[in-house]
């Protein structure tokens, strides 16, 4: 009796303890999380956490997620759950400044109307008109809106970057100012004051910049960079005065972001030969050597990158008529030539460049260099003069030799750097009395962030966009991602080091590689057997058709031997078809069986082993107790 009472009291105490632990866990441990994935896929990067900690005003994030509608579409259903999980991480790291709302916009509901009003785009689910939603909308206290209208599982590796960028944009709604220094006409001059007519047009790549940012144009002889400038774009810095180089140097060292376009041979440079020296080609190259040396990089002088495997085919007129040939200095970079780990290039398909140079890190450099665009090892360097004077593309191809190296055409550069002007502001004779620069810095206050591109021609329209005229409208049709490359680069420089630090995440989906290999092998074997059987079936059917064709239009009178042969063919046809079905069935059964075994190993084996161990321990303990 007493034993029953003790047992009952123990159960009550155990139940009370269980409830207490759960209540404490729910109330006090909600912020504790354990991410056991290999690449920490559900853990926010330090850059995202820093941006969330610095929020001064609350942000409301609405996730429109049609979970019910996606019930039969596992890819969207699971991706929606991952988005929700990551947004919960944002809410947890936001210290109360991020409010998350998960909304299921059912058809014909107010929630659906709200989603549509925010620009969230529907996902068609069936031919009958069913549709769902998977998008994110965020608003701040002043009703500024940032939206990701349609989240695609294909962009899962960029999810954190997109969400953090959205939060950052709401926290800093002011439009960024982009300073531009260029010796090329990337921005159109003001209209003719006499006629009011536009004398030229902006290059399309810079027209895109104008749509997104405030552009502040500066002359090539500027001596100061306005403090309102967030990011500086320098194009073809040919023969810039020392005072301008000093201004760029100090801007970068003080934390300004910069994108520099240099070129060993700028095809858009319209400089003319010196009339007194007509045999000498005009200067068409640009470099930023004094600053590059301090940034730990250099541009290979007087050399142009060529690569026959990605060279653009051009039509060249020869004595025997037009001929198509690869023009080595014009490259169409695709696939592995684009860095798929960096948000600037990971979603681009192709970037077209013309007569680009080769960038490399200096041997003793301590800076971090990340290639963005680079050639395959089939590339090599071509003398610049040979391109200027040899007008035959086939001649360039005949004399080309690969050096087996990757040639970097665009790169990120970061790290602590020193000034190229340790004595301070260089002064001309007229500025000698100007005095020293009171704001001069000798070294960077924090790691610099610069993107350097060894080509200016990729910005020109003819390398990436053509135009169609519809009515009185001139519509651009890009055939390369050059404009996206520029926008992405400016976007990721972003004015915030935490945002720049974000990179593509690892793969969320981890396929069973062993299963896939086995499946591929089985399918290959199936295809071989299938092909043999289909050949046999085709041969049988041809013989059958031939035999029947001999009697078409006639009275079908077959000899006993022919009847036997015809019946044999028919039986062979049926047998072959049966064997084909059996082979397919065997393949499906093998793959399904393998999948079942793997599911068992991944889900049931570990609990089963633990249960068996517990039973074994219980038996051993029991025997020991009885023995005592």
């Amino acid at each position: 009796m007493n034993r029953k009472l003790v047992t009952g009291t123990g159960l009550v105490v155990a139940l009370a303890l269980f409830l207490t632990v759960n209540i404490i866990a729910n109330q006090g441990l909600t912020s504790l999380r354990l991410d056991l994935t290999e690449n920490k896929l559900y853990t926010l990067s330090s850059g995202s956490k820093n941006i969330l900690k610095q929020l001064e005003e609350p942000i409301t994030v609405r996730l429109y997620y049609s979970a019910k509608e996606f019930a039969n579409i596992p890819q969207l259903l699971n991706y929606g759950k991952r988005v929700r999980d990551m947004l919960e991480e944002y809410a947890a790291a936001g210290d109360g400044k991020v409010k998350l709302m998960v909304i299921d916009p059912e058809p014909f509901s107010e929630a659906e109307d709200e989603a549509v009003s925010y620009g969230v785009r529907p996902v068609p689910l069936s031919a009958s008109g069913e549709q769902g939603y998977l998008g994110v909308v965020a608003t701040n206290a002043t009703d500024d809106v940032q939206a990701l209208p349609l989240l695609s599982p294909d962009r899962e590796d960029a999810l954190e970057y997109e969400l953090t960028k959205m939060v950052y944009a709401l926290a800093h709604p002011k439009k960024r100012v982009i300073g531009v220094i260029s010796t090329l006409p990337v921005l159109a001059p003001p209209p003719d004051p006499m006629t009011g007519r536009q004398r030229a047009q902006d290059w399309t790549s810079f027209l895109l910049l104008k749509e997104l940012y405030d552009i502040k144009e500066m002359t090539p002889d500027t001596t100061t960079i306005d403090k309102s400038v967030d990011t500086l774009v320098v194009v073809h810095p040919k023969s810039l005065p020392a005072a301008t180089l000093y201004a760029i140097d100090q801007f970068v060292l003080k934390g300004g972001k910069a994108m520099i376009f240099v070129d060993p041979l700028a095809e858009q440079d319209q400089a003319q030969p010196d009339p007194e020296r007509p045999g000498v080609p005009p200067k068409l190259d640009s470099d930023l050597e004094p600053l590059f040396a301090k940034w730990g990089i250099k541009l290979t002088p007087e050399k142009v990158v060529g690569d026959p495997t990605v060279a653009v085919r051009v039509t060249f007129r020869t004595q025997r008529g037009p001929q198509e040939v690869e023009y080595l200095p014009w490259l169409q970079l695709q696939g592995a030539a684009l860095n798929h780990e960096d948000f600037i290039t990971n979603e681009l398909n192709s970037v077209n460049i013309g007569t680009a140079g080769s960038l490399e890190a200096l041997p003793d450099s301590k800076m971090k260099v990340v290639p963005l665009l680079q050639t395959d090892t089939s590339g090599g360097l071509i003398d610049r003069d040979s391109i200027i004077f040899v007008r035959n593309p086939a001649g360039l191809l005949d004399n080309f030799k690969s050096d087996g190296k990757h040639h970097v055409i665009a790169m990120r550069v970061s790290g602590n750097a020193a000034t190229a002007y340790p004595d301070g502001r260089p002064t001309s004779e007229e500025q000698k009395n100007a005095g020293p620069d009171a704001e001069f810095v000798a070294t960077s206050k924090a790691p610099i962030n610069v993107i350097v591109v060894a080509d200016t021609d990729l910005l020109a329209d003819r390398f990436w966009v053509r135009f169609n005229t519809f009515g009185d409208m001139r519509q651009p049709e890009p055939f390369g991602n050059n404009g996206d490359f520029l926008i992405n680069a400016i976007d990721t420089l972003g004015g915030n080091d935490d945002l720049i630090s974000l990179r593509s995440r690892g793969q969320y989906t981890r396929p069973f590689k062993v299963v896939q290999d086995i499946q591929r092998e089985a399918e290959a074997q199936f295809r071989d057997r299938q092909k043999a059987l289909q050949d046999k079936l085709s041969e049988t059917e041809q013989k059958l058709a031939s035999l029947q064709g001999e009697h078409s239009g006639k009275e079908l009178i077959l000899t006993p031997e022919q009847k036997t042969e015809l019946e044999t063919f028919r039986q062979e046809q049926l047998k072959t078809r049966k064997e084909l079905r059996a082979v397919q069935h065997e393949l499906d059964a093998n793959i399904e069986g393998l999948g079942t075994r793997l599911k068992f190993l991944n889900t049931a084996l570990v609990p089963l082993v633990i249960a068996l161990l517990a039973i074994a321990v219980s038996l051993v303990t029991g025997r020991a107790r009885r023995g005592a």
Side-chain angles (χ1 to χ4, degrees):
M1 183 68 182
N2 290 337
R3 189 172 180 177
K4 288 182 178 179
L5 180 61
V6 170
T7 304
T9 305
L11 288 174
V12 172
V13 171
L15 180 61
L17 184 62
F18 173 77
L19 293 174
T20 303
V21 169
N22 273 276
I23 292 170
I24 293 174
N26 286 331
Q27 296 297 322
L29 304 179
T30 52
S31 61
L32 294 181
R33 286 167 166 76
L34 183 62
D35 186 352
L36 298 177
T37 56
E38 181 181 2
N39 295 320
K40 300 298 177 187
L41 299 175
Y42 298 96
T43 301
L44 295 185
S45 304
S46 58
S48 295
K49 291 179 179 176
N50 290 337
I51 289 174
L52 290 166
K53 285 178 182 175
Q54 294 168 9
L55 288 177
E56 296 180 355
E57 295 185 351
I59 288 177
T60 301
V61 179
R62 295 175 176 83
L63 168 62
Y64 293 96
Y65 171 37
S66 301
K68 295 176 185 174
E69 303 297 326
F70 295 151
N72 296 321
I73 308 176
Q75 189 183 22
L76 291 175
L77 183 68
N78 294 330
Y79 186 48
K81 290 178 180 175
R82 288 178 190 138
V83 175
R84 184 193 60 199
D85 291 344
M86 181 161 280
L87 286 173
E88 287 175 348
E89 290 295 314
Y90 276 74
D95 194 23
K97 293 288 177 52
V98 177
K99 180 184 177 184
L100 174 62
M101 300 170 65
V102 180
I103 302 166
D104 186 345
E106 295 184 353
F108 309 109
S109 65
E110 291 184 4
E112 183 181 32
D113 294 341
E114 182 185 75
V116 173
S117 69
Y118 278 127
V120 179
R121 288 159 47 193
V123 183
L125 302 179
S126 68
S128 60
E130 291 180 288
Q131 57 189 26
Y133 296 86
L134 184 54
V136 175
V137 176
T139 55
N140 61 10
T142 56
D143 291 333
D144 293 318
V145 179
Q146 290 284 324
L148 299 174
L150 179 59
L151 298 172
S152 168
D154 296 336
R155 290 275 294 160
E156 192 164 16
D157 62 339
L159 177 62
E160 184 185 359
Y161 173 75
E162 297 288 350
L163 293 174
T164 302
K165 187 174 70 170
M166 184 172 65
V167 171
Y168 182 80
L170 286 172
H172 304 82
K174 188 178 177 182
K175 217 170 182 180
R176 292 170 53 200
V177 178
I178 309 298
V180 177
I181 299 175
S182 176
T183 62
L184 296 175
V186 297
L187 295 170
D192 188 330
M194 300 296 290
T195 63
R197 291 181 178 177
Q198 193 71 41
R199 291 177 289 188
Q201 293 185 326
D202 299 327
W203 289 12
T204 304
S205 49
F206 281 79
L207 197 60
L208 294 175
L209 278 185
K210 277 187 170 180
E211 293 176 358
L212 299 171
Y213 310 103
D214 285 336
I215 302 298
K216 189 175 187 64
E217 187 175 9
M218 289 169 276
T219 60
D221 60 352
T222 187
T223 57
T224 57
I225 309 297
D226 194 290
K227 291 185 178 178
S228 66
V229 171
D230 172 271
T231 301
L232 182 66
V233 178
V234 180
V235 183
H236 200 37
K238 186 176 73 170
S239 305
L240 292 187
T244 305
L245 296 178
Y246 173 77
I248 299 171
D249 170 280
Q250 290 294 293
F251 174 79
V252 171
L253 295 185
K254 292 175 184 174
K257 313 301 185 299
M259 188 170 190
I260 312 291
F261 292 86
V262 295
D263 205 322
L265 177 55
E267 299 185 33
Q268 305 304 308
D269 190 333
Q270 301 299 312
Q272 298 300 312
D274 185 348
E276 297 182 358
R277 298 186 298 169
V280 178
K283 178 176 172 57
L284 302 176
D285 64 299
S286 58
D287 198 347
L288 215 58
E289 193 278 332
L291 276 60
F292 283 178
K294 295 298 179 182
W295 298 347
I297 62 171
K298 74 169 186 177
L299 173 71
T300 304
E302 301 181 355
K303 298 288 184 182
V304 170
V305 175
D307 188 343
T309 61
V310 292
V312 176
R313 289 181 69 82
V314 299
T315 301
F316 177 65
R317 188 174 298 280
T318 67
Q319 292 179 343
R320 290 178 295 180
Q323 177 188 357
E324 276 203 355
V325 62
E326 285 85 9
Y327 185 50
L328 287 175
W330 287 1
L331 308 180
Q332 186 178 52
L333 301 179
Q334 297 175 315
L338 313 177
N339 185 342
H340 291 284
E341 298 296 321
D342 197 291
F343 290 118
I344 295 178
T345 45
N346 69 348
E347 286 297 311
L348 304 185
N349 293 320
S350 68
V351 176
N352 302 321
I353 64 170
T355 55
S358 176
L359 296 165
E360 60 179 310
L362 295 173
D364 57 348
S365 173
K366 295 181 181 177
M367 305 291 280
K368 182 181 179 182
V369 170
V370 178
L372 298 173
L373 303 174
Q374 65 179 352
T375 66
D376 194 0
T377 52
S378 55
L381 296 177
I382 309 168
D383 286 338
R384 182 181 61 198
D385 291 346
S386 66
I387 297 173
I388 295 175
F389 294 110
V390 178
R391 298 294 182 181
N392 182 355
L396 289 177
L397 198 58
D398 292 340
N399 297 322
F400 177 77
K401 288 184 180 177
S402 168
D403 53 20
K405 299 179 181 176
H406 292 284
H407 289 281
V408 178
I409 295 166
M411 59 166 58
R412 280 184 185 271
V413 183
S414 59
N416 293 310
T419 179
Y421 300 90
D423 297 329
R425 187 203 309 273
T427 53
S428 62
E429 288 296 324
E430 295 78 13
Q431 296 174 320
K432 278 187 176 179
N433 297 325
D437 181 358
E439 299 181 354
F440 168 76
V441 295
T443 56
S444 58
K445 297 179 179 177
I448 67 169
N449 278 297
V450 178
I451 293 173
V452 180
V453 185
D455 185 34
T456 59
D457 299 301
L458 69 83
L459 298 170
D461 288 359
R462 70 186 183 114
F463 278 91
W464 70 280
V465 65
R466 62 175 69 92
F467 295 89
N468 286 329
T469 301
F470 182 75
D472 59 350
M473 294 180 62
R474 186 168 176 259
Q475 297 179 327
E477 284 191 5
F479 55 87
N481 294 122
N482 298 26
D484 300 322
F485 173 72
L486 175 64
I487 298 297
N488 289 353
I490 299 298
D491 202 25
T492 56
L493 282 175
N496 183 280
D497 294 340
D498 291 321
L499 197 59
I500 296 171
S501 70
L502 300 182
R503 295 287 182 273
S504 293
R505 313 214 70 169
Q507 294 293 319
Y508 285 76
T509 304
R510 302 187 65 184
F512 289 105
K513 292 183 179 178
V514 175
V515 177
Q516 290 180 343
D517 291 343
I518 294 173
Q519 186 171 353
R520 275 195 291 271
E521 185 179 348
E523 287 176 347
Q525 292 177 359
F526 167 74
R527 280 195 296 272
D528 291 341
R529 293 174 64 187
Q530 184 185 43
K531 185 174 185 310
L533 289 171
Q534 283 180 333
D535 290 344
K536 184 179 177 182
L537 178 63
S538 177
E539 183 182 354
T540 302
E541 289 175 342
Q542 285 179 359
K543 288 180 179 177
L544 190 60
S546 175
L547 188 61
Q548 291 175 330
E550 291 175 2
H551 300 277
S552 62
K554 303 176 184 177
E555 185 180 356
L556 186 60
I557 301 176
L558 301 176
T559 64
E561 291 77 11
Q562 288 175 324
K563 288 182 179 177
T564 302
E565 188 177 9
L566 183 61
E567 184 59 27
T568 301
F569 286 156
R570 285 174 174 162
Q571 293 301 322
E572 187 71 23
Q573 184 186 39
L574 293 174
K575 181 183 175 185
T576 305
R577 287 179 175 172
K578 189 175 180 180
E579 288 181 4
L580 271 173
R581 287 196 296 273
V583 169
Q584 180 66 62
H585 177 74
E586 181 184 358
L587 175 67
D588 294 342
N590 288 339
I591 292 175
E592 186 176 352
L594 179 62
T596 303
R597 290 194 293 277
L598 286 173
K599 283 179 183 175
F600 172 77
L601 291 174
N602 279 278
T603 57
L605 182 61
V606 172
L608 185 59
V609 169
I610 293 174
L612 290 174
L613 285 174
I615 292 172
V617 170
S618 175
L619 290 174
V620 171
T621 306
R623 285 179 182 174
R625 188 180 297 119
R626 285 194 295 273

